[in-house]
mmCIF file of all heavy atoms in Angstrom:
data_model
loop_
_atom_site.group_PDB
_atom_site.id
_atom_site.type_symbol
_atom_site.label_atom_id
_atom_site.label_comp_id
_atom_site.label_asym_id
_atom_site.label_seq_id
_atom_site.Cartn_x
_atom_site.Cartn_y
_atom_site.Cartn_z
ATOM 1 N N GLY A 1370 -10.336 -2.342 -18.244
ATOM 2 C CA GLY A 1370 -8.945 -2.390 -18.320
ATOM 3 C C GLY A 1370 -8.359 -0.973 -18.415
ATOM 4 O O GLY A 1370 -8.941 -0.060 -18.989
ATOM 5 N N ALA A 1371 -7.153 -0.800 -17.837
ATOM 6 C CA ALA A 1371 -6.471 0.513 -17.851
ATOM 7 C C ALA A 1371 -6.048 0.922 -19.235
ATOM 8 O O ALA A 1371 -5.651 0.035 -20.071
ATOM 9 C CB ALA A 1371 -5.321 0.520 -16.914
ATOM 10 N N GLY A 1372 -6.039 2.187 -19.530
ATOM 11 C CA GLY A 1372 -5.550 2.713 -20.813
ATOM 12 C C GLY A 1372 -4.489 3.752 -20.590
ATOM 13 O O GLY A 1372 -4.117 4.068 -19.409
ATOM 14 N N PRO A 1373 -3.924 4.428 -21.600
ATOM 15 C CA PRO A 1373 -2.984 5.451 -21.431
ATOM 16 C C PRO A 1373 -3.565 6.603 -20.622
ATOM 17 O O PRO A 1373 -4.734 6.852 -20.686
ATOM 18 C CB PRO A 1373 -2.645 5.867 -22.814
ATOM 19 C CG PRO A 1373 -3.184 4.808 -23.722
ATOM 20 C CD PRO A 1373 -4.290 4.140 -22.988
ATOM 21 N N THR A 1374 -2.749 7.308 -19.817
ATOM 22 C CA THR A 1374 -3.243 8.308 -18.952
ATOM 23 C C THR A 1374 -3.815 9.515 -19.750
ATOM 24 O O THR A 1374 -4.696 10.217 -19.229
ATOM 25 C CB THR A 1374 -2.102 8.901 -18.054
ATOM 26 O OG1 THR A 1374 -0.999 9.278 -18.844
ATOM 27 C CG2 THR A 1374 -1.638 7.896 -17.081
ATOM 28 N N ALA A 1375 -3.414 9.661 -21.005
ATOM 29 C CA ALA A 1375 -3.971 10.654 -21.806
ATOM 30 C C ALA A 1375 -5.365 10.412 -22.217
ATOM 31 O O ALA A 1375 -6.191 11.375 -22.481
ATOM 32 C CB ALA A 1375 -3.136 10.913 -23.093
ATOM 33 N N ALA A 1376 -5.769 9.162 -22.187
ATOM 34 C CA ALA A 1376 -7.122 8.764 -22.645
ATOM 35 C C ALA A 1376 -7.892 8.189 -21.472
ATOM 36 O O ALA A 1376 -9.179 8.373 -21.475
ATOM 37 C CB ALA A 1376 -7.083 7.735 -23.778
ATOM 38 N N ASP A 1377 -7.275 7.527 -20.521
ATOM 39 C CA ASP A 1377 -8.004 7.016 -19.300
ATOM 40 C C ASP A 1377 -7.966 8.090 -18.223
ATOM 41 O O ASP A 1377 -6.927 8.186 -17.579
ATOM 42 C CB ASP A 1377 -7.335 5.697 -18.928
ATOM 43 C CG ASP A 1377 -8.157 5.007 -17.882
ATOM 44 O OD1 ASP A 1377 -9.010 5.585 -17.230
ATOM 45 O OD2 ASP A 1377 -7.929 3.724 -17.705
ATOM 46 N N LEU A 1378 -9.020 8.711 -17.974
ATOM 47 C CA LEU A 1378 -9.062 9.853 -17.099
ATOM 48 C C LEU A 1378 -9.578 9.489 -15.660
ATOM 49 O O LEU A 1378 -9.764 10.418 -14.892
ATOM 50 C CB LEU A 1378 -9.885 10.978 -17.642
ATOM 51 C CG LEU A 1378 -9.499 11.406 -19.122
ATOM 52 C CD1 LEU A 1378 -10.392 12.592 -19.581
ATOM 53 C CD2 LEU A 1378 -8.058 11.877 -19.135
ATOM 54 N N ARG A 1379 -9.722 8.286 -15.420
ATOM 55 C CA ARG A 1379 -10.216 7.906 -14.010
ATOM 56 C C ARG A 1379 -9.101 8.263 -12.980
ATOM 57 O O ARG A 1379 -7.927 7.938 -13.118
ATOM 58 C CB ARG A 1379 -10.542 6.431 -13.980
ATOM 59 C CG ARG A 1379 -11.704 6.059 -14.804
ATOM 60 C CD ARG A 1379 -11.927 4.514 -14.821
ATOM 61 N NE ARG A 1379 -10.906 3.891 -15.674
ATOM 62 C CZ ARG A 1379 -10.801 2.560 -15.850
ATOM 63 N NH1 ARG A 1379 -11.724 1.774 -15.363
ATOM 64 N NH2 ARG A 1379 -9.864 2.035 -16.592
ATOM 65 N N ARG A 1380 -9.539 8.964 -11.942
ATOM 66 C CA ARG A 1380 -8.524 9.464 -10.944
ATOM 67 C C ARG A 1380 -9.160 9.396 -9.536
ATOM 68 O O ARG A 1380 -10.441 9.336 -9.352
ATOM 69 C CB ARG A 1380 -8.229 10.995 -11.195
ATOM 70 C CG ARG A 1380 -7.636 11.311 -12.568
ATOM 71 C CD ARG A 1380 -6.176 10.841 -12.714
ATOM 72 N NE ARG A 1380 -5.611 11.222 -13.934
ATOM 73 C CZ ARG A 1380 -5.687 10.557 -15.118
ATOM 74 N NH1 ARG A 1380 -6.285 9.382 -15.068
ATOM 75 N NH2 ARG A 1380 -5.124 10.984 -16.241
ATOM 76 N N SER A 1381 -8.302 9.563 -8.607
ATOM 77 C CA SER A 1381 -8.735 9.753 -7.177
ATOM 78 C C SER A 1381 -7.756 10.738 -6.528
ATOM 79 O O SER A 1381 -6.625 10.917 -6.922
ATOM 80 C CB SER A 1381 -8.664 8.459 -6.375
ATOM 81 O OG SER A 1381 -7.373 8.034 -6.212
ATOM 82 N N GLY A 1382 -8.284 11.443 -5.516
ATOM 83 C CA GLY A 1382 -7.502 12.486 -4.817
ATOM 84 C C GLY A 1382 -8.398 13.586 -4.283
ATOM 85 O O GLY A 1382 -9.595 13.557 -4.551
ATOM 86 N N PRO A 1383 -7.893 14.453 -3.472
ATOM 87 C CA PRO A 1383 -8.745 15.447 -2.738
ATOM 88 C C PRO A 1383 -9.189 16.531 -3.726
ATOM 89 O O PRO A 1383 -8.351 16.990 -4.588
ATOM 90 C CB PRO A 1383 -7.845 15.978 -1.653
ATOM 91 C CG PRO A 1383 -6.452 15.811 -2.241
ATOM 92 C CD PRO A 1383 -6.531 14.546 -2.986
ATOM 93 N N ALA A 1384 -10.434 17.017 -3.541
ATOM 94 C CA ALA A 1384 -10.874 18.169 -4.338
ATOM 95 C C ALA A 1384 -10.116 19.428 -4.058
ATOM 96 O O ALA A 1384 -9.852 20.136 -4.941
ATOM 97 C CB ALA A 1384 -12.393 18.272 -4.137
ATOM 98 N N LEU A 1385 -9.829 19.628 -2.782
ATOM 99 C CA LEU A 1385 -9.098 20.804 -2.366
ATOM 100 C C LEU A 1385 -7.704 20.398 -1.868
ATOM 101 O O LEU A 1385 -7.530 19.374 -1.150
ATOM 102 C CB LEU A 1385 -9.799 21.507 -1.180
ATOM 103 C CG LEU A 1385 -11.274 22.003 -1.463
ATOM 104 C CD1 LEU A 1385 -11.856 22.634 -0.232
ATOM 105 C CD2 LEU A 1385 -11.277 22.933 -2.666
ATOM 106 N N GLY A 1386 -6.714 21.101 -2.383
ATOM 107 C CA GLY A 1386 -5.362 20.769 -1.965
ATOM 108 C C GLY A 1386 -4.731 19.623 -2.727
ATOM 109 O O GLY A 1386 -3.768 18.985 -2.244
ATOM 110 N N GLY A 1387 -5.222 19.388 -3.991
ATOM 111 C CA GLY A 1387 -4.624 18.373 -4.759
ATOM 112 C C GLY A 1387 -3.186 18.706 -5.133
ATOM 113 O O GLY A 1387 -2.820 19.808 -5.489
ATOM 114 N N SER A 1388 -2.264 17.687 -5.085
ATOM 115 C CA SER A 1388 -0.895 17.895 -5.464
ATOM 116 C C SER A 1388 -0.362 16.588 -6.078
ATOM 117 O O SER A 1388 -1.047 15.572 -6.041
ATOM 118 C CB SER A 1388 -0.009 18.301 -4.269
ATOM 119 O OG SER A 1388 0.077 17.177 -3.329
ATOM 120 N N ALA A 1389 0.774 16.658 -6.612
ATOM 121 C CA ALA A 1389 1.389 15.458 -7.310
ATOM 122 C C ALA A 1389 1.534 14.318 -6.279
ATOM 123 O O ALA A 1389 1.618 13.183 -6.709
ATOM 124 C CB ALA A 1389 2.712 15.802 -7.964
ATOM 125 N N SER A 1390 1.558 14.668 -5.025
ATOM 126 C CA SER A 1390 1.881 13.567 -4.002
ATOM 127 C C SER A 1390 0.577 12.931 -3.472
ATOM 128 O O SER A 1390 0.638 11.794 -2.995
ATOM 129 C CB SER A 1390 2.575 14.146 -2.735
ATOM 130 O OG SER A 1390 1.798 15.190 -2.186
ATOM 131 N N ASN A 1391 -0.571 13.530 -3.649
ATOM 132 C CA ASN A 1391 -1.804 12.940 -3.123
ATOM 133 C C ASN A 1391 -2.856 12.718 -4.205
ATOM 134 O O ASN A 1391 -3.985 12.298 -3.825
ATOM 135 C CB ASN A 1391 -2.404 13.833 -1.961
ATOM 136 C CG ASN A 1391 -2.837 15.197 -2.415
ATOM 137 O OD1 ASN A 1391 -2.987 15.444 -3.617
ATOM 138 N ND2 ASN A 1391 -2.931 16.120 -1.440
ATOM 139 N N VAL A 1392 -2.546 12.956 -5.475
ATOM 140 C CA VAL A 1392 -3.481 12.598 -6.525
ATOM 141 C C VAL A 1392 -3.003 11.279 -7.159
ATOM 142 O O VAL A 1392 -1.845 11.147 -7.626
ATOM 143 C CB VAL A 1392 -3.538 13.756 -7.567
ATOM 144 C CG1 VAL A 1392 -4.355 13.236 -8.827
ATOM 145 C CG2 VAL A 1392 -4.263 14.960 -7.020
ATOM 146 N N ASP A 1393 -3.884 10.307 -7.125
ATOM 147 C CA ASP A 1393 -3.535 8.946 -7.673
ATOM 148 C C ASP A 1393 -3.831 8.911 -9.152
ATOM 149 O O ASP A 1393 -4.993 8.956 -9.511
ATOM 150 C CB ASP A 1393 -4.244 7.927 -6.936
ATOM 151 C CG ASP A 1393 -3.786 6.536 -7.125
ATOM 152 O OD1 ASP A 1393 -3.111 6.337 -8.180
ATOM 153 O OD2 ASP A 1393 -4.033 5.665 -6.342
ATOM 154 N N VAL A 1394 -2.813 8.901 -10.030
ATOM 155 C CA VAL A 1394 -3.003 8.891 -11.468
ATOM 156 C C VAL A 1394 -2.849 7.433 -12.000
ATOM 157 O O VAL A 1394 -2.828 7.223 -13.212
ATOM 158 C CB VAL A 1394 -2.090 9.790 -12.145
ATOM 159 C CG1 VAL A 1394 -2.287 11.290 -11.756
ATOM 160 C CG2 VAL A 1394 -0.577 9.462 -11.876
ATOM 161 N N SER A 1395 -2.714 6.463 -11.152
ATOM 162 C CA SER A 1395 -2.546 5.094 -11.677
ATOM 163 C C SER A 1395 -3.452 4.118 -10.911
ATOM 164 O O SER A 1395 -4.218 3.309 -11.568
ATOM 165 C CB SER A 1395 -1.060 4.635 -11.531
ATOM 166 O OG SER A 1395 -0.709 4.744 -10.157
ATOM 167 N N HIS A 1396 -3.382 4.041 -9.570
ATOM 168 C CA HIS A 1396 -4.076 3.025 -8.805
ATOM 169 C C HIS A 1396 -5.562 3.072 -8.848
ATOM 170 O O HIS A 1396 -6.296 2.073 -8.699
ATOM 171 C CB HIS A 1396 -3.601 2.917 -7.382
ATOM 172 C CG HIS A 1396 -2.177 2.641 -7.354
ATOM 173 N ND1 HIS A 1396 -1.252 3.464 -6.767
ATOM 174 C CD2 HIS A 1396 -1.468 1.543 -7.819
ATOM 175 C CE1 HIS A 1396 0.023 2.913 -6.849
ATOM 176 N NE2 HIS A 1396 -0.082 1.799 -7.504
ATOM 177 N N ALA A 1397 -6.173 4.266 -9.048
ATOM 178 C CA ALA A 1397 -7.551 4.441 -8.992
ATOM 179 C C ALA A 1397 -8.255 3.654 -10.138
ATOM 180 O O ALA A 1397 -9.431 3.359 -9.984
ATOM 181 C CB ALA A 1397 -7.962 5.875 -9.074
ATOM 182 N N ARG A 1398 -7.528 3.374 -11.211
ATOM 183 C CA ARG A 1398 -8.153 2.602 -12.237
ATOM 184 C C ARG A 1398 -7.745 1.131 -12.183
ATOM 185 O O ARG A 1398 -8.043 0.394 -13.187
ATOM 186 C CB ARG A 1398 -7.824 3.250 -13.658
ATOM 187 C CG ARG A 1398 -6.315 3.287 -13.981
ATOM 188 C CD ARG A 1398 -6.159 3.877 -15.339
ATOM 189 N NE ARG A 1398 -4.732 4.233 -15.592
ATOM 190 C CZ ARG A 1398 -4.178 5.400 -15.311
ATOM 191 N NH1 ARG A 1398 -4.907 6.334 -14.755
ATOM 192 N NH2 ARG A 1398 -2.971 5.654 -15.571
ATOM 193 N N ASP A 1399 -7.031 0.788 -11.203
ATOM 194 C CA ASP A 1399 -6.668 -0.616 -11.034
ATOM 195 C C ASP A 1399 -6.684 -0.903 -9.525
ATOM 196 O O ASP A 1399 -5.644 -1.130 -8.875
ATOM 197 C CB ASP A 1399 -5.275 -0.822 -11.629
ATOM 198 C CG ASP A 1399 -4.876 -2.378 -11.539
ATOM 199 O OD1 ASP A 1399 -5.785 -3.216 -11.403
ATOM 200 O OD2 ASP A 1399 -3.706 -2.689 -11.643
ATOM 201 N N LEU A 1400 -7.927 -0.921 -9.016
ATOM 202 C CA LEU A 1400 -8.063 -1.173 -7.557
ATOM 203 C C LEU A 1400 -7.623 -2.526 -7.175
ATOM 204 O O LEU A 1400 -7.789 -3.488 -7.967
ATOM 205 C CB LEU A 1400 -9.549 -0.923 -7.167
ATOM 206 C CG LEU A 1400 -10.091 0.481 -7.378
ATOM 207 C CD1 LEU A 1400 -11.556 0.481 -7.176
ATOM 208 C CD2 LEU A 1400 -9.383 1.513 -6.593
#
């Protein structure tokens, strides 16, 4: 189950060129 973003650090996004528009801070932990 998902937790607060400060504690639940599961993420998805590009290793190079990460930005606020292409880093998923929510859906990667709730596929």
Side-chain angles (χ1 to χ4, degrees):
T1374 55
D1377 189 341
L1378 304 180
R1379 292 172 289 181
R1380 303 282 187 271
S1381 69
L1385 301 179
S1388 67
S1390 63
N1391 62 18
V1392 172
D1393 192 338
V1394 296
S1395 57
H1396 298 118
R1398 58 179 170 271
D1399 187 18
L1400 300 174

